[in-house]
Amino acid sequence: MVGPRSAGVPLPRPPLAPGDDEVRHWYENVLGWPTVPGAPLRLAAGVRFDVLDLPAEAGWAAFGRLERQGRCGRLGRGFPVALCGGRMRLLVAAGSAEELPGLLEWLEWGPPLDLDLTAIGAGGSMEAPRPAGPGGEAREGRPRGGGAGVPGGSQGAALWLRPPEPERGAGAPLPTLSAMGTRSAKGGRDSPPDLVRLVNTVATQIHRVRLRRARAGAAVEADGQPLAFS
């Protein structure tokens, strides 16, 4: 029988979050993803994957459209996706960063549109989202709270929305520049869209977000102008 707690005995501490060494081990030895030496922990791009970086608001809209088309399943399935502040990072096949400028031009999304879409490839890196549990068990799903007007947005450290899993880590199917796209053993609804479809959908939503913000800004400016009478 356990007696009452003594006033001098501290309360039990909650489990500690995995340390940097443990998280680095998970990425390098479980997923097979190289990391960059030093702190904070970063993942090396251009080896196992490249990264598409875009506004999170446009990213949510793009995934909503792809899900309605049955092209990428629900957000918790498919290729890894991370959120950091107001930005969303989509992991795509290595080499995609080099293809992005030509692909945008081919899709007629190139200059002078100047979309808020960048690619991180060989020689670059991204902040490593910290797994949610000890030993690297990442949790999928939208985070609580809001940020920058983005549903489920976060102003803190990077986190996984679609976490990588060991069985689909280093060899996971990622959006790639392929006429047939990629397919998983479970069929098309569980496979990522091809890179052309993904980039076109993302670019469309980025452009729509920019137009919506421009119209809102113009409306605010017009509302502040004094009325003119002739």
Side-chain angles (χ1 to χ4, degrees):
M1 182 174 180
V2 179
R5 183 178 63 88
S6 171
V9 178
L11 291 172
R13 294 183 178 181
L16 295 176
D20 287 347
D21 291 342
E22 188 177 4
V23 174
R24 190 182 299 275
H25 179 274
W26 182 70
Y27 277 116
E28 293 185 345
N29 298 94
V30 178
L31 293 183
W33 289 1
T35 62
V36 177
L41 183 61
R42 301 186 67 85
L43 303 174
V47 182
R48 296 295 188 181
F49 57 83
D50 285 355
V51 181
L52 297 184
D53 181 276
L54 63 146
E57 183 178 357
W60 286 117
F63 276 107
R65 184 170 183 83
L66 288 169
E67 288 170 0
R68 288 192 296 272
Q69 295 174 351
R71 296 297 180 179
C72 68
R74 63 185 179 87
L75 187 61
R77 299 165 67 181
F79 61 100
V81 178
L83 185 71
C84 184
R87 309 294 297 183
M88 186 175 285
R89 279 79 183 264
L90 317 181
L91 271 60
V92 295
S96 300
E98 298 179 3
E99 303 287 350
L100 183 62
L103 182 55
L104 286 172
E105 185 175 357
W106 182 72
L107 291 169
E108 299 184 351
W109 286 112
L113 291 175
D114 191 25
L115 295 175
D116 186 9
L117 173 64
T118 59
I120 306 171
S125 64
M126 64 171 277
E127 180 181 346
R130 298 188 67 84
E137 299 91 348
R139 296 176 182 173
E140 65 185 37
R142 297 192 182 191
R144 296 181 179 272
V150 180
S154 172
Q155 294 298 319
L159 53 86
W160 286 115
L161 300 178
R162 271 182 173 157
E165 297 177 1
E167 60 268 25
R168 53 177 176 162
L174 299 173
T176 184
L177 190 61
S178 167
M180 299 301 294
T182 52
R183 294 184 64 85
S184 71
K186 297 180 181 179
R189 291 187 64 88
D190 192 50
S191 60
D194 62 87
L195 187 64
V196 174
R197 185 183 302 277
L198 177 63
V199 168
N200 190 47
T201 303
V202 163
T204 299
Q205 299 307 320
I206 292 173
H207 186 58
R208 288 179 176 175
V209 168
R210 180 168 61 181
L211 291 177
R212 184 164 61 248
R213 290 178 177 176
R215 287 194 296 266
V220 171
E221 183 177 352
D223 187 61
Q225 295 295 324
L227 297 175
F229 298 94
S230 58

